[in-house]
Amino acid sequence: MSDHSRTEAPASQRLEFRVGALGAFIAPLIFAVGTCVYFVGFVVLDLTAIAAVGFLGLFVASWLAKSQEKFWNAAIDGIASRTSATLFLLMLLVGVLAQMFKATGVSSGFVWLAQEAHIGGGVFVMITFLITCAIALATGSSLGTMLAMFPILYTAGAAIGASPALLAGAILSGAIFGDNIAPISDTTVISATTQRYRRRAGLADVGGVVRSRLRYALPAAGIAAIAFLIAGIMTTGGDGAKSVVEAEASPTGLWMLLAIAALILVAFIARDLFLAVGVGLVVGTVVALLTGLATPGQILGANDGAPTGYITDGLSSMLPLIGLLVAVFAMIGVVEASGMFDRIVEAIISSPRFQSARGAETAIGISGAFCTVVLAGLNGPGLMFAGPLSDKIGAAVGLHPYRRSNVMDCAAMGVGVIVPIASTFLLVASLGTQGYEGIPELSVFAILGAAFYPFALTAMTVISIITGWGRRYEGENGVELTEPDPAWQAEMTATLPVVGLYRP
């Protein structure tokens, strides 16, 4: 959640540029163009290179700022937020967890299990989606789930002939589904707690938001599961990938499911993601040692003067991603300090066409998706921006806090997280396909076409806004109404247009 309340900043405190207010977007523009050049022009799938482009954009933008000091202070504020620090630490821990699963052969256990159960590649794609949904729902972390599941399910699916692109899309989709409705997900919490009641005290409760969100998320997940099954049956992976990994099929790796079970159990009971990952690491390490899946040297050691083990390998594997995230959060700080972000969103939602219930929901969806896209698909920070704006515009037409939260969150978790180049989710998914012998490394564009859940969720959101399906208004004492209270709605409409919401 936001570290500070967001109020209009005095002009003297804003970050200004010599080229005008749009200078705030110079760094993101250079980042987007550079990423496109690397991915499309050079066909280089390397996060270190993408991070370098991000820092180049920041460096160029800093010289166009009227004050270098204000620019870099804004960048540091973005990097030093609680959200960014939490994400950095989580990525490091999950990196070790993913490397542990990779080193101990969990994927070979799934390959053996699929072979024994005579599960084909097509069915396995749908199973991959459902398993990832369950893990993400338990952990509440989409990026963490993706990094943990790629070494297990991506390689296992490739071994039995599943399409690598569909497998990557299934893992990404399942992770977003869990993030969309998990009670412990930061996006769920932010989307709920940024929406205030107007006819009673308090904020939207997470439990009520999740319950009401299921009417959109479950149909979208059902559509995605069917799409993965049909597309999986119609396509198969390359024989090269199958032959390389298939020889490693072994039931021994299934012992590591104890670590996964411990992680899920603790996540559900304790609602503490760091604790859950820590328990998963401890249980996994003990099981690996007792079953012979790993030696002490394969956990942490040295050989010929070089460090070895999945602990050091896991940490080092995350450094390029963390470097990229540092650049992204610095850009977020710069855009935020300029005040330009708020001006653009306010210009969209202050128009009279957005002051009906359908218009207000359209504005809420636009702001949720726009904020997330601008912030590189990072839905948590995106919702921090969009939340207060959605709260004001939705309340002005009497929409219930649950409805405001759901339209905003579903728009952000749909198209907001899968826009090519700008999407951290697609970049992480691309990273997850790298480093496996005989299995292709996929670009963000290859994965985008198989991201069925975000597309289905976007369709559900658009249908809901157009038809009014699921629309609820706030009644006396915060109760949900299917029709607005005319007197209250007229009173609230008088609060438009939305005032600026700048966070210093």
Side-chain angles (χ1 to χ4, degrees):
M1 270 167 281
S2 176
D3 297 330
H4 307 284
S5 61
R6 301 178 67 201
T7 55
E8 181 69 24
S12 61
Q13 295 181 14
R14 286 183 177 174
L15 175 62
E16 297 180 342
F17 292 83
R18 294 185 176 89
V19 294
L22 289 177
F25 295 103
I26 289 174
L29 179 62
I30 292 175
F31 172 71
V33 172
T35 301
C36 186
V37 170
Y38 266 111
F39 277 2
V40 180
F42 299 150
V43 195
V44 173
L45 307 177
D46 186 275
L47 291 188
T48 302
I50 306 306
V53 170
F55 283 109
L56 174 62
L58 286 166
F59 181 75
V60 172
S62 71
W63 287 99
L64 296 174
K66 290 184 177 180
S67 169
Q68 284 263 339
E69 181 181 4
K70 282 186 178 181
F71 181 93
W72 290 111
N73 283 340
I76 291 170
D77 286 343
I79 298 169
S81 69
R82 181 177 179 83
T83 298
S84 59
T86 300
L87 189 57
F88 297 156
L89 287 174
L90 180 61
M91 291 299 98
L92 290 172
L93 286 175
V94 172
V96 176
L97 185 73
Q99 196 64 33
M100 178 184 73
F101 289 142
K102 184 177 179 180
T104 53
V106 182
S107 62
S108 65
F110 274 95
V111 173
W112 176 86
L113 190 62
Q115 291 174 346
E116 291 296 310
H118 303 290
I119 296 174
V123 175
F124 193 85
V125 170
M126 183 184 70
I127 292 175
T128 294
F129 171 65
L130 297 177
I131 290 175
T132 310
C133 284
I135 298 294
L137 187 59
T139 63
S141 170
S142 47
L143 294 178
T145 298
M146 289 169 63
L147 291 168
M149 290 298 100
F150 266 100
I152 300 172
L153 299 175
Y154 184 67
T155 54
I160 58 175
S163 163
L166 286 175
L167 288 167
I171 293 172
L172 183 148
S173 294
I176 292 177
F177 169 81
D179 202 2
N180 190 203
I181 64 171
I184 60 173
S185 163
D186 63 337
T187 57
T188 303
V189 173
I190 291 170
S191 68
T193 56
T194 54
Q195 305 306 305
R196 290 191 302 113
Y197 283 95
R198 296 305 194 276
R199 306 188 72 174
R200 73 171 178 84
L203 306 172
D205 59 289
V206 172
V209 166
V210 170
R211 172 181 52 77
S212 61
R213 188 170 296 168
L214 291 177
R215 66 166 59 96
Y216 319 109
L218 290 182
I223 292 170
I226 293 171
F228 281 122
L229 177 61
I230 294 173
I233 292 174
M234 295 174 62
T235 60
T236 58
D239 292 336
K242 184 175 180 179
S243 63
V244 168
V245 189
E246 189 175 43
E248 300 178 1
S250 169
T252 310
L254 293 176
W255 281 109
M256 295 301 293
L257 291 178
L258 293 172
I260 298 175
L263 184 152
I264 295 174
L265 183 64
V266 173
F268 268 121
I269 296 175
R271 302 295 184 187
D272 186 327
L273 183 55
F274 284 100
L275 177 61
V277 173
V279 169
L281 283 169
V282 171
V283 173
T285 299
V286 172
V287 169
L289 289 172
L290 292 178
T291 59
L293 290 171
T295 64
Q298 292 173 315
I299 299 172
L300 184 64
N303 185 29
D304 294 330
T308 61
Y310 60 70
I311 294 180
T312 53
D313 289 345
L315 292 175
S316 62
S317 70
M318 287 295 103
L319 295 181
L321 176 59
I322 290 177
L324 171 62
L325 292 175
V326 168
V328 168
F329 276 108
M331 293 180 209
I332 291 173
V334 169
V335 173
E336 186 175 5
S338 72
M340 188 62 191
F341 186 94
D342 295 324
R343 286 187 233 171
I344 293 175
V345 177
E346 288 170 22
I348 295 172
I349 65 177
S350 296
S351 169
R353 74 184 65 179
F354 295 125
Q355 294 178 11
S356 64
R358 182 180 293 117
E361 290 176 355
T362 301
I364 290 170
I366 289 173
S367 30
F370 175 78
C371 294
T372 304
V373 169
V374 168
L375 302 183
L378 293 171
N379 41 29
L383 292 178
M384 289 180 196
F385 276 100
L389 296 165
S390 299
D391 176 66
K392 288 181 177 290
I393 192 68
V397 296
L399 291 175
H400 195 277
Y402 293 171
R403 178 68 172 182
R404 291 179 242 144
S405 173
N406 290 331
V407 171
M408 175 183 66
D409 186 88
C410 290
M413 299 299 291
V415 69
V417 299
I418 55 170
V419 174
I421 303 306
S423 172
T424 300
F425 284 86
L426 287 173
L427 290 171
V428 170
S430 177
L431 172 67
T433 67
Q434 299 177 22
Y436 305 108
E437 184 180 355
I439 304 176
E441 297 180 354
L442 303 177
S443 70
V444 294
F445 299 101
I447 299 170
L448 173 64
F452 295 152
Y453 178 75
F455 285 119
L457 184 63
T458 299
M460 291 293 106
T461 306
V462 171
I463 291 171
S464 175
I465 292 173
I466 293 174
T467 65
W469 167 51
R471 183 176 295 148
R472 297 292 184 270
Y473 298 89
E474 183 179 356
E476 190 174 356
N477 295 321
V479 299
E480 294 182 79
L481 301 177
T482 57
E483 296 293 335
D485 180 336
W488 178 257
Q489 189 176 21
E491 180 180 343
M492 291 305 299
T493 302
T495 65
L496 291 171
V498 178
V499 297
L501 291 170
Y502 174 87
R503 188 180 76 178

